[in-house]
């Protein structure tokens, strides 16, 4: 019996020894390649797939934070600033627009969070100006054109001053001219009881085209002024003084003139 037990015992010892040697070899290989093995396990999320989420939230948060940092580094500073300005409500003060909600993070770290105030552009108004067209036979007729002007609080002043500057290049190509003497300046303008009182410089009374020229320049002024609903007629004064006649040709300006006079 003892002889039969010895071969069996020897066989068990041989198998156990082989397993022990195999385990030792595996442990040595694992110790040598432990970093690579842990890296593969982390990349493939082996633990999460087999055992579920066991504290892996920190790794996910870390990965999301790295993605956010990478995204923020890929956006140029000027593009982020443009986004902030376009999202700010223009009606709010700069201090209010720069306020953050609780828990909200700034999009530009270490920079001034208050964008510079952008001045509102002056609103443009359609204004009708009157110039003249001279036919081949010398006949003078009026011709209106519409301009977009920054009128502010004085639309009549803006319109007359634009008229004194003469037609634009595009308007000249359409044959529009002015008979208002060059160098004429508007010194003041006011409206009282439907009468526009326009005070011009001395240049206004010198017209080289005679009576037709005087009538043409007055027509331009009167039609441009009475295009405003608040103006019924125009009283012309020169250098702050009321005069009865314009120039040496004796064109009457002693009383207010309306469009029916032309």
């Amino acid at each position: 019996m003892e002889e039969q037990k010895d071969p069996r015992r020897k066989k068990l010892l041989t198998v156990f020894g082989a397993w022990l040697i195999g385990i030792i070899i595996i442990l040595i290989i694992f110790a040598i390649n432990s970093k690579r093995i842990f890296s593969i396990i982390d990349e493939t999320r082996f633990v999460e797939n087999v055992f579920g989420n066991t504290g892996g939230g920190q790794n996910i948060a870390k990965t999301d934070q790295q993605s956010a940092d990478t995204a923020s580094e890929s956006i140029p500073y000027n593009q982020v600033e443009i986004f902030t300005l376009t999202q700010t409500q223009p009606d709010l003060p700069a201090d209010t627009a720069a306020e953050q909600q609780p828990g909200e993070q700034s999009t530009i770290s270490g920079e001034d969070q208050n964008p510079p105030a952008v001045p509102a552009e002056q609103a443009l108004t359609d204004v009708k100006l009157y110039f003249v067209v001279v036919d081949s036979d010398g006949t003078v007729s009026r011709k209106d054109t519409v301009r977009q002007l920054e009128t502010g609080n004085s639309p009549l002043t803006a319109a007359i001053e634009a008229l004194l500057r003469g037609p634009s290049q595009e308007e000249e190509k359409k044959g529009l001219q002015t008979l208002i003497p060059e160098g004429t300046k508007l010194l003041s303008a006011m409206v009282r009881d439907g009468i526009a009182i326009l005070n011009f410089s001395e240049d206004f009374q010198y017209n080289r085209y005679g009576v037709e020229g005087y009538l043409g320049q007055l027509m331009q002024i009167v039609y441009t002024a009475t295009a405003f609903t608040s103006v019924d007629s125009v009283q012309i004064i020169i250098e702050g003084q009321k005069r009865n006649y314009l120039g040496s040709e004796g064109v009457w300006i002693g009383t207010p003139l309306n469009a029916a006079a032309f």
Side-chain angles (χ1 to χ4, degrees):
M1 292 293 293
E2 291 180 359
E3 293 179 357
Q4 293 178 357
K5 291 180 180 180
D6 288 340
R8 185 180 298 174
R9 183 181 298 174
K10 290 180 180 181
K11 185 176 181 180
L12 291 174
L13 290 175
T14 302
V15 173
F16 178 77
W19 275 99
L20 182 61
I21 293 172
I23 292 172
I24 292 173
I25 293 173
I26 292 173
L27 290 175
I28 293 173
I29 295 174
F30 182 82
I32 294 173
N33 299 281
S34 60
K35 292 185 178 180
R36 183 176 180 184
I37 293 172
F38 282 122
S39 176
I40 294 173
I41 292 174
D42 186 50
E43 290 178 358
T44 59
R45 296 188 177 182
F46 175 79
V47 176
E48 295 177 17
N49 293 331
V50 175
F51 301 101
N53 189 0
T54 59
Q58 295 180 355
N59 293 331
I60 296 175
K62 183 177 180 182
T63 303
D64 293 340
Q65 181 63 36
Q66 291 176 350
S67 300
D69 294 341
T70 304
S72 63
E73 291 175 357
S74 64
I75 302 176
Y77 170 80
N78 58 349
Q79 292 185 11
V80 177
E81 183 179 20
I82 291 173
F83 175 81
T84 303
L85 291 177
T86 54
Q87 294 299 314
T88 302
Q89 295 182 2
D91 296 335
L92 297 178
D95 294 340
T96 304
E99 291 180 359
Q100 298 177 2
Q101 297 297 328
E104 182 179 345
Q105 294 183 352
S106 170
T107 55
I108 307 176
S109 176
E111 296 293 337
D112 185 6
Q113 299 303 314
N114 294 327
V118 180
E121 294 183 359
Q122 180 75 35
L124 297 178
T125 305
D126 289 341
V127 176
K128 185 177 290 187
L129 306 180
Y130 282 84
F131 294 99
V132 297
V133 175
V134 181
D135 297 334
S136 57
D137 58 355
T139 303
V140 177
S141 57
R142 65 178 180 273
K143 181 67 175 179
D144 65 275
T145 184
V146 177
R147 293 252 196 102
Q148 287 191 330
L149 303 176
E150 295 181 0
T151 59
N153 295 325
S154 305
L156 177 60
T157 299
I160 298 300
E161 288 180 344
L163 184 67
L164 296 181
R165 289 192 293 269
S168 64
Q169 292 182 352
E170 292 297 324
E171 292 165 343
E172 287 180 346
K173 291 178 181 179
K174 297 178 182 180
L176 275 64
Q177 303 179 36
T178 182
L179 292 177
I180 300 174
E182 186 177 356
T184 299
K185 295 179 178 60
L186 179 66
L187 304 181
S188 64
M190 63 177 297
V191 179
R192 181 183 299 169
D193 298 330
I195 301 175
I197 303 173
L198 304 180
N199 181 22
F200 293 101
S201 63
E202 191 75 20
D203 302 275
F204 190 75
Q205 66 174 347
Y206 300 112
N207 195 306
R208 58 180 178 175
Y209 297 109
V211 175
E212 291 294 331
Y214 285 119
L215 292 175
Q217 74 183 66
L218 290 174
M219 178 177 61
Q220 288 181 240
I221 296 293
V222 172
Y223 268 86
T224 299
T226 55
F228 294 93
T229 56
S230 60
V231 178
D232 298 322
S233 58
V234 178
Q235 175 65 64
I236 302 292
I237 60 176
I238 307 296
E239 297 287 346
Q241 298 180 359
K242 183 179 178 181
R243 303 185 183 184
N244 291 329
Y245 298 99
L246 183 63
S248 58
E249 302 295 335
V251 177
W252 178 257
I253 58 172
T255 55
L257 305 173
N258 56 32
F262 303 93

